[in-house]
Amino acid sequence: MSPVSSNAPHGQWPLRTVQVLGGGNAGSSAHVRSLAGGLVARGVRVTVCAPAEADRAYDFTGAGAEHVHVPRSSDPASVAALRAACASADLVHAHGLHASFRTVLALSGHSTPLVVTWHNRSRAEGARAHLLRLLERRVVKTASVMLGTSSDLVDRARQTGARDARLAAVGLPGQGRSPDHEDPDRPRPKVRAELGSTGRPLLIAVGSLDRYRGYDVLLDAARAWRDLDPVPLVVVAGEGPLRSVLQRRIADEDLPVRLIGHHDDVPELLAAADLALLTSSWESRSVFAQEALYAGVPLVATRVGGIPDLVGDAAELLPYGDAEALADAVVRLLADPERRELLRERGVRQAAGWPTEDETVAQVLSIYDELTQPRPLA
């Protein structure tokens, strides 16, 4: 799609935008990479302000954007670097709470329109939770438009005082890949053998090893699966601060669970899996849930955050923290191939209704145009 010159903001083209990303989780970083590529393809000039390691991992420059290294820190040097990068922008788009707060500081005293996307909810307790609420209010009251990747994030922005809060269309980068895709050199039996799951069901969970992921509940449920014949194997891909705690429990209780660390190719794991498990205390627009449904893998997930809206009736949804319900749901699904097939069919249908990358870029570009078009005089 080519830009229409007559509809160019300020009567000129190209539109100059800055995308601001903090440390960025995998979902928001991949989204910014996809968004940058789509905007550049439509003639928009894009600068991505992010730590250097983010550009190495997601190759924003490879998408045609300029990259400016801006550290995660909110110290004056970081804010000054961001202010310099935004000086000639027609519009700035920040992703996440900390990145958007730094952007608010950098744009102080300027009238540059600011779009903010919340991809996740910031988690904290005590004094830090109070601080985060103050940051949220400052960001929300400054932003021209707040975008949330799930309806509860949009509601949170409105309750915090947003003048304009909308649901973001967020297409999963790389969507549309065939569910039957697999590396011909690594067929499904080979992957299962490498994971130690030959002749037994394989259950896959993906996500950082932190307390919000509910892996303690997953290990509680895994005790019940030891009584099945054959015993299912749970494989958890991810790294994080709880690795040693979880590994100790797995060893002490002889649980059928393997922690395999960070894995670059989640679709490869899903292609070998019988079930996908998502046990988090909160999720917005879970990338793993989307990948599972695209891959045609039945999903068991917690009924939290944006998950119900995302998956509809295409997953088994459970209360967070209920190990017995999780154990029972897995046992039932493993014994019921017809139910698994029904979930696969529903998953394909549900995924077909999600926004595409093109639709995501189109929504964002429409908002940019809306905010940068000259307003008629009264």
Side-chain angles (χ1 to χ4, degrees), residues 3 54 59 75 83 135 148 217 228 294 328 331 343-344:
D59 192 20
D75 66 32
R83 182 180 298 116
L135 299 187
V217 179
L228 299 181
Y294 273 121
D328 289 347
V331 170
L343 289 177
R344 288 190 188 96

Side-chain angles (χ1 to χ4, degrees), residues 314-328:
E316 295 283 351
L317 295 180
L318 311 169
Y320 168 72
D322 193 333
E324 183 176 353
L326 174 59
D328 289 347

Side-chain angles (χ1 to χ4, degrees), residues 250-274:
I250 292 167
D252 291 347
E253 300 174 36
D254 192 26
L255 300 176
V257 180
R258 282 192 61 196
L259 307 181
I260 63 170
H262 177 75
H263 199 284
D264 288 325
D265 194 350
V266 172
E268 177 186 80
L269 294 177
L270 286 168
D274 296 291

Side-chain angles (χ1 to χ4, degrees), residues 18-356:
V18 174
Q19 306 288 322
V20 184
L21 186 67
N25 60 29
S28 59
S29 298
H31 171 67
V32 169
R33 207 284 183 187
S34 171
L35 190 58
L39 291 172
V40 168
R42 287 160 176 77
V44 178
R45 287 179 55 186
V46 179
T47 298
V48 177
C49 293
E53 58 268 26
D55 185 49
R56 286 194 294 270
Y58 292 92
D59 192 20
F60 305 119
T61 51
E66 177 187 358
H67 171 252
V68 174
H69 169 63
V70 176
R72 293 183 178 88
S73 171
S74 292
D75 66 32
S78 177
V79 174
L82 186 54
R83 182 180 298 116
C86 295
S88 61
D90 296 311
L91 179 142
V92 179
H93 189 165
H95 300 263
L97 176 59
H98 295 286
S100 56
F101 180 69
R102 287 197 296 276
T103 305
V104 167
L105 297 179
L107 293 178
S108 179
H110 296 269
S111 59
T112 308
L114 172 63
V115 178
V116 171
T117 298
W118 279 350
H119 297 265
N120 263 306
R121 187 177 68 187
S122 298
R123 304 180 181 99
E125 298 174 356
R128 179 166 171 76
H130 177 67
L131 173 61
L132 290 179
R133 285 194 295 272
L134 293 176
L135 299 187
E136 284 183 351
R137 279 199 288 272
R138 177 74 181 274
V139 167
V140 162
K141 290 180 182 300
T142 304
S144 305
V145 173
M146 290 292 305
L147 296 173
T149 57
S150 61
S151 57
D152 59 326
L153 287 175
V154 176
D155 291 342
R156 185 180 182 91
R158 287 174 179 155
Q159 293 162 6
T160 309
R163 66 184 102 164
D164 187 341
R166 313 180 193 183
L167 185 64
V170 180
L172 180 66
Q175 71 183 50
R177 171 172 25 202
S178 167
D180 295 324
H181 166 83
E182 39 177 64
D183 183 338
D185 296 326
R186 292 173 61 78
R188 186 172 192 262
K190 183 175 181 181
V191 174
R192 290 173 70 95
E194 291 173 352
L195 294 173
S197 186
T198 300
R200 59 195 298 200
L202 177 61
L203 318 180
I204 297 293
V206 175
S208 57
L209 306 183
D210 62 52
R211 61 196 182 95
Y212 301 106
R213 295 289 182 177
Y215 290 137
D216 55 336
V217 179
L218 177 57
L219 297 192
D220 289 342
R223 282 201 298 264
W225 303 329
R226 292 181 304 187
D227 298 330
L228 299 181
D229 183 19
V231 178
L233 174 65
V234 182
V235 169
V236 181
E239 280 295 352
L242 291 185
R243 170 178 264 278
S244 60
V245 174
L246 297 172
Q247 192 61 65
R248 190 177 308 116
R249 272 200 64 186
I250 292 167
D252 291 347
E253 300 174 36
D254 192 26
L255 300 176
V257 180
R258 282 192 61 196
L259 307 181
I260 63 170
H262 177 75
H263 199 284
D264 288 325
D265 194 350
V266 172
E268 177 186 80
L269 294 177
L270 286 168
D274 296 291
L275 298 178
L277 308 179
L278 183 63
T279 55
S280 304
S281 62
W282 190 88
E283 292 278 352
S284 174
R285 192 174 182 87
S286 166
V287 171
F288 179 58
Q290 293 175 77
E291 289 177 320
L293 267 59
Y294 273 121
V297 179
L299 174 68
V300 180
T302 43
R303 189 183 291 105
V304 297
I307 294 299
D309 288 343
L310 179 67
V311 303
D313 64 355
E316 295 283 351
L317 295 180
L318 311 169
Y320 168 72
D322 193 333
E324 183 176 353
L326 174 59
D328 289 347
V330 167
V331 170
R332 286 198 311 273
L333 278 175
L334 291 178
D336 189 347
E338 291 184 359
R339 175 65 178 171
R340 296 200 303 274
E341 183 58 33
L342 176 62
L343 289 177
R344 288 190 188 96
E345 293 171 358
R346 288 178 175 176
V348 171
R349 191 163 58 245
Q350 184 74 10
W354 291 336
T356 64

